[in-house]
Amino acid sequence: MDKKLTVLDRVTLPTPRFFRKVRTIGAALAAVGSILATAPVALPAVVVALGGYLVLAGSVAAAVSSVAVDPDTTPVQVDGRTAAEVREIVERGDAASL
């Protein structure tokens, strides 16, 4: 794959199945970590620290796996626009029409 993809291309291209699972697991870890870190009851400091680490690890895993793309697919969105057409609309400043 010699073509450099922009962030918009990476967002519009489909995510492979493995990375969708990683994104879901990462979001779940971040949710559990935020519950532990902001619990209204007094928890030991180790549990609160563990919650912070879970939030960090889950959010990084979800963010990185969200921009993973399958290089063999053509960039077409649900409405029929290609990623190049969407990029042109955004560059024109007419993103409200998306």
Side-chain angles (χ1 to χ4, degrees):
M1 184 170 174
D2 55 350
K3 181 186 173 223
K4 300 285 183 184
L5 295 175
T6 64
V7 174
L8 185 61
D9 290 335
R10 288 189 172 274
V11 171
T12 57
L13 284 171
T15 304
R17 174 184 274 174
F18 172 75
F19 288 105
R20 284 184 290 191
K21 290 179 183 177
V22 171
R23 182 177 56 199
T24 304
I25 292 170
L29 281 176
V32 169
S34 64
I35 290 170
L36 288 176
T38 61
V41 296
L43 294 174
V46 174
V47 175
V48 174
L50 177 67
Y53 290 129
L54 284 176
V55 169
L56 177 66
S59 60
V60 168
V64 169
S65 64
S66 293
V67 294
V69 296
D70 188 9
D72 298 329
T73 59
T74 56
V76 176
Q77 290 185 332
V78 177
D79 59 358
R81 295 181 180 145
T82 62
E85 292 171 345
V86 172
R87 186 176 23 216
E88 289 174 14
I89 292 171
V90 170
E91 288 173 355
R92 276 194 321 246
D94 192 23
S97 65
L98 291 175

